[in-house]
Amino acid sequence: MATFFGEVVAAPSRAGVDDEDEEEAAGQALEETPEDREIQAAPGAAAEPLRCSRFVVAVGHNAAAFLSSFILDSVCWEVVGAVKLWNEWCRTSNTTNVLPTDSFCLFYRLISDPTVLLCQCSCYVAEDQQFQWLEKVFGHIQKEGLQVTILSTCPVADYKTQESTLTLPSPFLKALKTKEFKEQVCCPLLEQPNIVRDLPAAVLSYCQVWQIPAVLYQCYTDVIKLDTVTIEAFKPLLSSETLKNLVKDVSESTKSLKKLLTTNETHNNIYI
């Protein structure tokens, strides 16, 4: 297991943002208070922590879209909670009826087995909000018998290798796990000196500290927007112990993916 996960790295640069956006962001920053950055709500408002056997966390638009396309549906799953946050990069949506491009963090429970939880987190969780997110989310989940799977994406340019990244068959998956995770992983392990960052690193580090079996699957891609090839790069995970009995019918998955991308394209065209 690489020892570099959870390493603090620089926040994303705002280089290239329009002057107008800069002024607007500056204005918001002046009005912002510590209370504004406080994360609100969490999965399940029950007084007692939820019993959970499997918890799948998809971070980013493509990872969230993978769950929407191949796992989630309105018949077998129900929304049980949401995390709301606001920072200099995003404000989460106030509805559960979200578009693929929206910023949101929703939690779902499998109706036939309430111990299975999914999280779609397409919003950016700032460095100073990550601890809050972990405390509020995992504070509502029993840690005994819990296993966590994290999905995320990362620019292929961030992948450190002696080869040229131009020759790499992008997108590709790499895995990083805690020492308690004993199942076979679905792709090669991430090599040193590569690191993971942001919320995926925070979740994996939290699981390491609390001795929770956890694995992170990171997809390295050269496409930053919602993309079919990047979404389908996660498909090897459908044969994993965690996901194999949660997979939708193949024809339904294809329809869901096509509908998702069509909705995204239509939404983007509004602004052209």
Side-chain angles (χ1 to χ4, degrees):
M1 170 181 173
T3 59
F4 293 84
F5 67 83
E7 181 175 330
V8 176
V9 294
S13 168
R14 292 189 61 84
V17 179
D18 292 338
D19 291 340
E20 262 183 42
D21 291 341
E22 287 284 2
E23 288 171 12
E24 184 181 340
Q28 286 180 347
L30 289 173
E31 298 170 7
E32 189 179 352
T33 66
E35 288 74 21
D36 292 327
R37 295 183 74 85
E38 195 169 311
I39 290 178
Q40 300 175 6
E48 294 296 321
L50 299 171
R51 193 167 75 84
C52 184
S53 59
R54 285 177 284 175
F55 184 32
V56 182
V57 184
V59 182
H61 289 294
N62 281 300
F66 170 75
L67 291 189
S68 292
S69 301
F70 295 96
I71 306 292
L72 285 168
D73 61 49
S74 58
V75 177
C76 300
W77 298 85
E78 60 180 350
V79 177
V80 292
V83 162
K84 296 180 182 178
L85 58 87
W86 178 32
N87 57 47
E88 61 271 28
W89 286 91
C90 77
R91 182 194 294 269
T92 51
S93 173
N94 288 321
T95 176
T96 57
N97 185 23
V98 291
L99 291 169
T101 51
D102 286 344
S103 290
F104 60 90
C105 187
L106 297 176
F107 295 81
Y108 303 83
R109 179 168 57 194
L110 184 62
I111 295 172
S112 61
D113 182 1
T115 68
V116 179
L117 297 177
L118 300 185
C119 169
Q120 289 180 306
C121 186
S122 71
C123 59
Y124 174 69
V125 182
E127 187 179 318
D128 64 314
Q129 295 175 317
Q130 290 169 12
F131 180 75
Q132 286 184 62
W133 192 98
L134 294 168
E135 288 293 297
K136 288 184 181 290
V137 171
F138 283 94
H140 283 73
I141 298 173
Q142 290 184 14
K143 297 178 180 65
E144 186 179 352
L146 173 63
Q147 181 167 299
V148 177
T149 301
I150 311 148
L151 316 180
S152 71
T153 56
C154 181
V156 72
D158 288 354
Y159 183 68
K160 294 178 175 61
T161 176
Q162 292 182 343
E163 304 172 37
S164 168
T165 54
L166 296 175
T167 64
L168 294 173
S170 175
F172 59 92
L173 285 175
K174 291 289 181 177
L176 195 58
K177 60 179 183 172
T178 63
K179 63 181 180 181
E180 288 76 21
F181 188 85
K182 303 301 182 185
E183 291 179 11
Q184 185 175 353
V185 294
C186 301
C187 65
L189 292 174
L190 185 64
E191 309 91 340
Q192 295 187 25
N194 286 286
I195 62 170
V196 293
R197 64 179 72 187
D198 299 327
L199 186 62
V203 175
L204 194 63
S205 296
Y206 183 94
C207 292
Q208 179 70 41
V209 171
W210 285 93
Q211 300 182 336
I212 298 169
V215 60
L216 164 63
Y217 290 104
Q218 182 142 282
C219 176
Y220 287 89
T221 177
D222 52 9
V223 181
I224 59 173
K225 63 180 182 179
L226 204 61
D227 169 62
T228 310
V229 178
T230 302
I231 294 170
E232 292 189 332
F234 287 106
K235 285 177 76 172
L237 276 58
L238 298 176
S239 61
S240 68
E241 289 296 322
T242 299
L243 297 181
K244 67 181 182 182
N245 62 347
L246 304 177
V247 182
K248 289 194 290 194
D249 178 81
V250 177
S251 60
E252 287 299 315
S253 297
T254 305
K255 287 179 186 176
S256 297
L257 181 57
K258 186 176 180 181
K259 182 179 178 183
L260 192 72
L261 293 171
T262 302
T263 303
N264 177 57
E265 193 174 321
T266 303
H267 182 258
N268 286 341
N269 286 342
I270 293 173
Y271 299 98
I272 293 177

